[in-house]
Amino acid sequence: MKESPEDAEVPVPPPRDCLKCVMDSYGAPAPSGDSFNPMKFFLQPQVILRLVGILCAIIVFGTIADGVYDNGVCAIYNDGDDHVCEYGIGIGVIGFLACLAFLVIDFLFVRQSSAEMRKYMVLADLAFSGLWALMWFIGFCYLTDRWRNTNTSFRRFTSHVKNNAQAAIAFSFFSVVVWVAIAVFAVLRFRKGQGEAFDDSTGTAADPSYSSFPGQPDLSESYQQPPFTGERSEAPQYQPPVY
């Protein structure tokens, strides 16, 4: 019994990558069963920047908390403006904790099989990095302005205290650069992921070996007319009907 076209087995085209599939997305490879490689992890640009951000944050809030207070008063900045010291310590501590949190996210990022979840991780990194770069810039300007307006009578402090105040200003500026760089890398990862999603949504070229109607002959050649050869075909002779 001849097999009908309806009963013929339909060949399945090869699967293609999609946004929801496990794939290389947002600048990270697909999850694998390989063991954790510390060297490879800590050599990633965003990880290096976060470690530098941790160092800068520790120096800022450490020098302010340890070296610029006098009898519980932030005396070295603008005649005892406690708000500037509180602001410097605050953004330093929060930046330190944020860097630790995003280091954990970076560790989990390559183990995340969902491209959608990776997208949210990158967006969170981008939003917070941009915000904290702005907060550090405000802190740098705030500390610099208060140090510039400090009266000479408050510069009676030792060189150690003065160095602490100036170090807080310097590393506030370095923190601005670090967080801007982190935000730039987050933008690049987001654009890479969106580009991959766009390429996937457009699809791939169809496999020429895949037939839309399996089991049927290729009729494309039957529609090809021969070129004009200049020869006339003989017309069929008329045969009268038989009654």
Side-chain angles (χ1 to χ4, degrees):
M1 182 178 179
K2 185 177 181 180
E3 185 180 21
S4 62
E6 291 80 3
D7 298 334
E9 182 180 356
V10 179
V12 180
R16 60 186 181 89
D17 292 338
C18 59
L19 183 61
K20 302 294 185 182
C21 297
V22 179
M23 55 182 288
D24 293 0
S25 62
Y26 292 95
S32 62
D34 298 339
S35 59
F36 174 65
N37 188 342
M39 183 63 67
K40 184 177 180 180
F41 174 76
F42 286 107
L43 288 179
Q44 296 180 84
Q46 67 270 18
V47 174
I48 296 175
L49 289 171
R50 297 193 206 285
L51 295 176
V52 176
I54 289 175
L55 177 63
C56 292
I58 292 175
I59 293 176
V60 171
F61 74 74
T63 53
I64 294 177
D66 176 66
V68 302
Y69 278 93
D70 182 27
N71 295 325
V73 178
C74 185
I76 198 170
Y77 287 116
N78 196 28
D79 301 346
D81 185 0
D82 286 336
H83 297 296
V84 65
C85 290
E86 293 170 357
Y87 185 88
I89 293 175
I91 60 174
V93 171
I94 296 176
F96 169 77
L97 296 176
C99 285
L100 291 179
F102 280 108
L103 281 176
V104 175
I105 292 176
D106 289 336
F107 175 77
L108 299 175
F109 188 81
V110 294
R111 287 160 176 75
Q112 180 57 246
S113 61
S114 171
E116 193 72 16
M117 185 60 66
R118 287 186 175 188
K119 174 183 176 181
Y120 293 142
M121 289 179 175
V122 173
L123 284 176
D125 188 12
L126 173 59
F128 188 87
S129 299
L131 173 63
W132 225 244
L134 176 62
M135 298 296 287
W136 274 117
F137 179 74
I138 294 174
F140 167 72
C141 295
Y142 193 12
L143 291 170
T144 303
D145 180 70
R146 289 297 180 264
W147 172 254
R148 182 175 58 86
N149 293 327
T150 299
N151 294 332
T152 55
S153 61
F154 279 87
R155 299 196 178 182
R156 66 185 184 276
F157 299 101
T158 63
S159 60
H160 172 72
V161 176
K162 294 179 182 179
N163 291 338
N164 284 340
Q166 293 172 346
I169 295 172
F171 281 91
S172 295
F173 175 77
F174 296 153
S175 296
V176 175
V177 178
V178 169
W179 283 95
V180 168
I182 294 174
V184 169
F185 276 103
V187 170
L188 294 177
R189 288 197 296 169
F190 180 75
R191 293 182 62 181
K192 180 178 177 60
Q194 290 299 102
E196 291 165 349
F198 176 77
D199 293 341
D200 178 76
S201 64
T202 57
T204 55
D207 186 358
S209 64
Y210 175 70
S211 175
S212 300
F213 300 95
Q216 297 294 329
D218 188 3
L219 302 179
S220 58
E221 296 181 357
S222 63
Y223 292 98
Q224 296 179 358
Q225 299 294 337
F228 293 98
T229 59
E231 299 179 357
R232 297 180 57 185
S233 59
E234 296 182 356
Q237 297 180 356
Y238 173 75
Q239 296 181 356
V242 179
Y243 297 98

